[in-house]
Short mmCIF file of all heavy atoms in Angstrom, two decimals:
data_model
loop_
_atom_site.label_atom_id
_atom_site.label_comp_id
_atom_site.label_asym_id
_atom_site.label_seq_id
_atom_site.Cartn_x
_atom_site.Cartn_y
_atom_site.Cartn_z
N GLY A 215 -7.46 -14.99 35.24
CA GLY A 215 -6.25 -14.44 34.64
C GLY A 215 -5.19 -15.46 34.23
O GLY A 215 -4.62 -15.40 33.16
N PRO A 216 -4.94 -16.52 35.06
CA PRO A 216 -3.93 -17.51 34.69
C PRO A 216 -4.38 -18.45 33.53
O PRO A 216 -3.60 -19.29 33.10
CB PRO A 216 -3.74 -18.32 36.00
CG PRO A 216 -4.18 -17.39 37.07
CD PRO A 216 -5.31 -16.64 36.48
N ASN A 217 -5.62 -18.32 33.08
CA ASN A 217 -6.14 -19.14 32.02
C ASN A 217 -6.62 -18.36 30.79
O ASN A 217 -7.23 -18.92 29.89
CB ASN A 217 -7.35 -19.97 32.52
CG ASN A 217 -6.94 -20.94 33.63
OD1 ASN A 217 -5.95 -21.63 33.53
ND2 ASN A 217 -7.72 -20.99 34.70
N THR A 218 -6.32 -17.04 30.79
CA THR A 218 -6.88 -16.17 29.75
C THR A 218 -5.81 -15.51 28.94
O THR A 218 -4.89 -14.86 29.50
CB THR A 218 -7.78 -15.09 30.44
OG1 THR A 218 -8.84 -15.74 31.12
CG2 THR A 218 -8.35 -14.14 29.40
N HIS A 219 -5.88 -15.64 27.64
CA HIS A 219 -4.89 -15.09 26.74
C HIS A 219 -5.22 -13.62 26.41
O HIS A 219 -6.21 -13.37 25.71
CB HIS A 219 -4.82 -15.93 25.42
CG HIS A 219 -4.34 -17.31 25.67
ND1 HIS A 219 -5.17 -18.32 26.13
CD2 HIS A 219 -3.08 -17.86 25.54
CE1 HIS A 219 -4.45 -19.44 26.22
NE2 HIS A 219 -3.19 -19.18 25.89
N ALA A 220 -4.42 -12.72 26.88
CA ALA A 220 -4.58 -11.28 26.65
C ALA A 220 -3.45 -10.55 27.32
O ALA A 220 -2.91 -11.02 28.34
CB ALA A 220 -5.93 -10.77 27.17
N ASN A 221 -3.09 -9.37 26.80
CA ASN A 221 -2.02 -8.60 27.41
C ASN A 221 -2.55 -7.36 28.17
O ASN A 221 -1.82 -6.38 28.37
CB ASN A 221 -0.98 -8.20 26.36
CG ASN A 221 -1.55 -7.23 25.35
OD1 ASN A 221 -2.72 -6.82 25.39
ND2 ASN A 221 -0.70 -6.77 24.41
N CYS A 222 -3.83 -7.36 28.57
CA CYS A 222 -4.45 -6.17 29.14
C CYS A 222 -3.83 -5.75 30.44
O CYS A 222 -3.93 -4.56 30.83
CB CYS A 222 -5.97 -6.35 29.26
SG CYS A 222 -6.51 -7.93 29.83
N ASN A 223 -3.17 -6.64 31.19
CA ASN A 223 -2.47 -6.22 32.41
C ASN A 223 -1.11 -5.63 32.09
O ASN A 223 -0.44 -5.17 33.02
CB ASN A 223 -2.35 -7.39 33.37
CG ASN A 223 -3.36 -7.31 34.49
OD1 ASN A 223 -3.66 -6.22 34.99
ND2 ASN A 223 -3.89 -8.41 34.93
N LYS A 224 -0.68 -5.69 30.85
CA LYS A 224 0.55 -5.06 30.45
C LYS A 224 0.32 -3.67 29.88
O LYS A 224 1.04 -2.71 30.18
CB LYS A 224 1.27 -5.92 29.43
CG LYS A 224 1.93 -7.17 30.00
CD LYS A 224 2.59 -7.98 28.88
CE LYS A 224 3.46 -9.11 29.47
NZ LYS A 224 4.74 -8.60 30.01
N ILE A 225 -0.70 -3.55 29.02
CA ILE A 225 -0.95 -2.24 28.39
C ILE A 225 -2.01 -1.42 29.09
O ILE A 225 -2.11 -0.24 28.89
CB ILE A 225 -1.35 -2.46 26.88
CG1 ILE A 225 -2.70 -3.22 26.78
CG2 ILE A 225 -0.29 -3.17 26.10
CD1 ILE A 225 -3.22 -3.29 25.35
N LEU A 226 -2.80 -2.09 29.92
CA LEU A 226 -3.82 -1.44 30.79
C LEU A 226 -4.95 -0.84 29.97
O LEU A 226 -4.89 -0.74 28.74
CB LEU A 226 -3.22 -0.39 31.71
CG LEU A 226 -2.04 -0.85 32.59
CD1 LEU A 226 -1.56 0.30 33.45
CD2 LEU A 226 -2.47 -2.07 33.45
N TRP A 227 -6.03 -0.50 30.63
CA TRP A 227 -7.21 0.13 30.00
C TRP A 227 -7.13 1.62 30.29
O TRP A 227 -6.88 2.06 31.38
CB TRP A 227 -8.51 -0.46 30.55
CG TRP A 227 -8.77 -1.82 30.01
CD1 TRP A 227 -8.29 -3.02 30.46
CD2 TRP A 227 -9.55 -2.13 28.85
NE1 TRP A 227 -8.73 -4.04 29.68
CE2 TRP A 227 -9.50 -3.53 28.68
CE3 TRP A 227 -10.28 -1.38 27.97
CZ2 TRP A 227 -10.19 -4.18 27.63
CZ3 TRP A 227 -10.97 -2.01 26.95
CH2 TRP A 227 -10.90 -3.39 26.78
N ASN A 228 -7.38 2.41 29.24
CA ASN A 228 -7.24 3.87 29.33
C ASN A 228 -5.88 4.27 29.81
O ASN A 228 -5.69 5.33 30.42
CB ASN A 228 -8.34 4.47 30.24
CG ASN A 228 -9.74 4.22 29.70
OD1 ASN A 228 -9.99 4.27 28.53
ND2 ASN A 228 -10.65 3.90 30.64
N ASP A 229 -4.88 3.37 29.60
CA ASP A 229 -3.51 3.60 30.00
C ASP A 229 -3.38 3.76 31.52
O ASP A 229 -2.39 4.29 32.02
CB ASP A 229 -2.92 4.84 29.32
CG ASP A 229 -2.97 4.73 27.81
OD1 ASP A 229 -2.69 3.65 27.30
OD2 ASP A 229 -3.30 5.77 27.17
N VAL A 230 -4.37 3.25 32.27
CA VAL A 230 -4.41 3.48 33.72
C VAL A 230 -4.53 2.24 34.52
O VAL A 230 -3.77 2.00 35.46
CB VAL A 230 -5.58 4.43 34.07
CG1 VAL A 230 -5.74 4.56 35.57
CG2 VAL A 230 -5.40 5.80 33.44
N SER A 231 -5.48 1.37 34.22
CA SER A 231 -5.81 0.28 35.17
C SER A 231 -6.28 -0.96 34.44
O SER A 231 -6.24 -1.06 33.19
CB SER A 231 -6.89 0.76 36.14
OG SER A 231 -7.03 -0.16 37.22
N SER A 232 -6.73 -1.95 35.21
CA SER A 232 -7.26 -3.19 34.67
C SER A 232 -8.24 -3.74 35.72
O SER A 232 -8.30 -3.22 36.83
CB SER A 232 -6.15 -4.20 34.39
OG SER A 232 -5.56 -4.64 35.62
N LYS A 233 -8.90 -4.82 35.40
CA LYS A 233 -9.81 -5.43 36.35
C LYS A 233 -9.09 -5.79 37.63
O LYS A 233 -9.55 -5.49 38.74
CB LYS A 233 -10.51 -6.66 35.74
CG LYS A 233 -11.69 -6.36 34.84
CD LYS A 233 -12.42 -7.65 34.47
CE LYS A 233 -13.72 -7.34 33.75
NZ LYS A 233 -13.49 -6.68 32.46
N THR A 234 -7.98 -6.55 37.52
CA THR A 234 -7.36 -7.03 38.72
C THR A 234 -6.71 -5.90 39.53
O THR A 234 -6.67 -5.95 40.76
CB THR A 234 -6.28 -8.10 38.38
OG1 THR A 234 -5.32 -7.53 37.48
CG2 THR A 234 -6.91 -9.33 37.74
N ARG A 235 -6.27 -4.85 38.86
CA ARG A 235 -5.71 -3.70 39.60
C ARG A 235 -6.81 -2.98 40.37
O ARG A 235 -6.56 -2.37 41.40
CB ARG A 235 -4.99 -2.77 38.62
CG ARG A 235 -3.72 -3.39 38.04
CD ARG A 235 -2.84 -2.36 37.42
NE ARG A 235 -1.68 -3.07 36.81
CZ ARG A 235 -0.57 -2.42 36.47
NH1 ARG A 235 -0.42 -1.12 36.62
NH2 ARG A 235 0.44 -3.10 35.95
N ALA A 236 -8.06 -3.03 39.82
CA ALA A 236 -9.17 -2.36 40.49
C ALA A 236 -9.82 -3.24 41.55
O ALA A 236 -10.77 -2.80 42.21
CB ALA A 236 -10.20 -1.93 39.43
N GLY A 237 -9.38 -4.49 41.68
CA GLY A 237 -9.93 -5.36 42.69
C GLY A 237 -11.08 -6.23 42.21
O GLY A 237 -11.87 -6.72 43.00
N SER A 238 -11.13 -6.46 40.89
CA SER A 238 -12.15 -7.32 40.28
C SER A 238 -11.44 -8.47 39.54
O SER A 238 -10.41 -8.24 38.94
CB SER A 238 -13.02 -6.55 39.34
OG SER A 238 -13.94 -7.40 38.68
N PRO A 239 -11.96 -9.69 39.61
CA PRO A 239 -11.33 -10.78 38.90
C PRO A 239 -11.40 -10.66 37.39
O PRO A 239 -12.35 -10.07 36.87
CB PRO A 239 -12.09 -12.02 39.39
CG PRO A 239 -13.42 -11.49 39.79
CD PRO A 239 -13.18 -10.12 40.34
N CYS A 240 -10.40 -11.22 36.71
CA CYS A 240 -10.49 -11.35 35.27
C CYS A 240 -11.59 -12.35 34.93
O CYS A 240 -11.70 -13.42 35.55
CB CYS A 240 -9.15 -11.86 34.73
SG CYS A 240 -9.19 -12.42 33.02
N LEU A 241 -12.44 -12.01 33.96
CA LEU A 241 -13.60 -12.85 33.61
C LEU A 241 -13.32 -13.75 32.41
O LEU A 241 -14.24 -14.46 31.95
CB LEU A 241 -14.83 -11.99 33.37
CG LEU A 241 -15.24 -11.10 34.51
CD1 LEU A 241 -16.49 -10.31 34.15
CD2 LEU A 241 -15.50 -11.92 35.77
N GLY A 242 -12.11 -13.70 31.87
CA GLY A 242 -11.76 -14.58 30.75
C GLY A 242 -12.47 -14.22 29.44
O GLY A 242 -12.80 -15.10 28.65
N CYS A 243 -12.63 -12.92 29.19
CA CYS A 243 -13.52 -12.51 28.09
C CYS A 243 -12.91 -12.71 26.69
O CYS A 243 -13.60 -12.51 25.70
CB CYS A 243 -13.98 -11.09 28.27
SG CYS A 243 -12.71 -9.85 28.01
N THR A 244 -11.63 -13.05 26.62
CA THR A 244 -11.01 -13.27 25.31
C THR A 244 -11.04 -14.74 24.90
O THR A 244 -10.50 -15.08 23.83
CB THR A 244 -9.57 -12.79 25.26
OG1 THR A 244 -8.82 -13.50 26.24
CG2 THR A 244 -9.48 -11.27 25.58
N GLU A 245 -11.61 -15.61 25.73
CA GLU A 245 -11.60 -17.04 25.49
C GLU A 245 -12.90 -17.50 24.81
O GLU A 245 -13.95 -16.85 24.91
CB GLU A 245 -11.32 -17.82 26.75
CG GLU A 245 -9.98 -17.50 27.40
CD GLU A 245 -8.81 -17.93 26.51
OE1 GLU A 245 -8.92 -18.97 25.78
OE2 GLU A 245 -7.81 -17.20 26.48
N PHE A 246 -12.80 -18.66 24.18
CA PHE A 246 -13.97 -19.19 23.41
C PHE A 246 -15.15 -19.51 24.30
O PHE A 246 -16.31 -19.57 23.81
CB PHE A 246 -13.55 -20.44 22.61
CG PHE A 246 -13.03 -21.55 23.49
CD1 PHE A 246 -13.87 -22.41 24.13
CD2 PHE A 246 -11.65 -21.72 23.65
CE1 PHE A 246 -13.40 -23.44 24.92
CE2 PHE A 246 -11.14 -22.72 24.44
CZ PHE A 246 -12.02 -23.59 25.10
N ASP A 247 -14.93 -19.81 25.59
CA ASP A 247 -16.03 -20.21 26.46
C ASP A 247 -16.60 -19.09 27.30
O ASP A 247 -17.34 -19.33 28.25
CB ASP A 247 -15.61 -21.37 27.36
CG ASP A 247 -14.38 -21.02 28.20
OD1 ASP A 247 -13.80 -19.95 27.99
OD2 ASP A 247 -13.96 -21.86 29.04
N PHE A 248 -16.27 -17.88 26.97
CA PHE A 248 -16.87 -16.72 27.67
C PHE A 248 -18.25 -16.46 27.10
O PHE A 248 -18.50 -16.52 25.91
CB PHE A 248 -16.02 -15.47 27.47
CG PHE A 248 -16.63 -14.22 28.04
CD1 PHE A 248 -16.50 -13.95 29.37
CD2 PHE A 248 -17.33 -13.33 27.24
CE1 PHE A 248 -17.05 -12.80 29.92
CE2 PHE A 248 -17.92 -12.19 27.78
CZ PHE A 248 -17.76 -11.90 29.10
N PRO A 249 -19.25 -16.15 27.99
CA PRO A 249 -19.17 -16.05 29.43
C PRO A 249 -19.45 -17.40 30.11
O PRO A 249 -20.33 -18.17 29.68
CB PRO A 249 -20.29 -15.05 29.78
CG PRO A 249 -21.31 -15.32 28.71
CD PRO A 249 -20.58 -15.69 27.47
N ARG A 250 -18.72 -17.72 31.13
CA ARG A 250 -18.95 -18.92 31.91
C ARG A 250 -20.01 -18.67 32.96
O ARG A 250 -20.32 -17.54 33.31
CB ARG A 250 -17.66 -19.36 32.60
CG ARG A 250 -16.51 -19.63 31.62
CD ARG A 250 -15.28 -20.12 32.34
NE ARG A 250 -14.16 -20.26 31.44
CZ ARG A 250 -12.98 -20.78 31.80
NH1 ARG A 250 -12.78 -21.17 33.01
NH2 ARG A 250 -12.01 -20.88 30.91
#
Side-chain angles (χ1 to χ4, degrees):
N217 297 314
T218 299
H219 295 82
N221 67 358
C222 41
N223 257 323
K224 285 178 170 286
I225 64 174
L226 305 180
W227 285 85
N228 298 320
D229 302 319
V230 173
S231 192
S232 69
K233 278 189 172 64
T234 57
R235 293 195 182 197
S238 176
C240 168
L241 302 180
C243 72
T244 60
E245 297 298 323
F246 59 82
D247 55 356
F248 175 82
R250 302 182 185 184

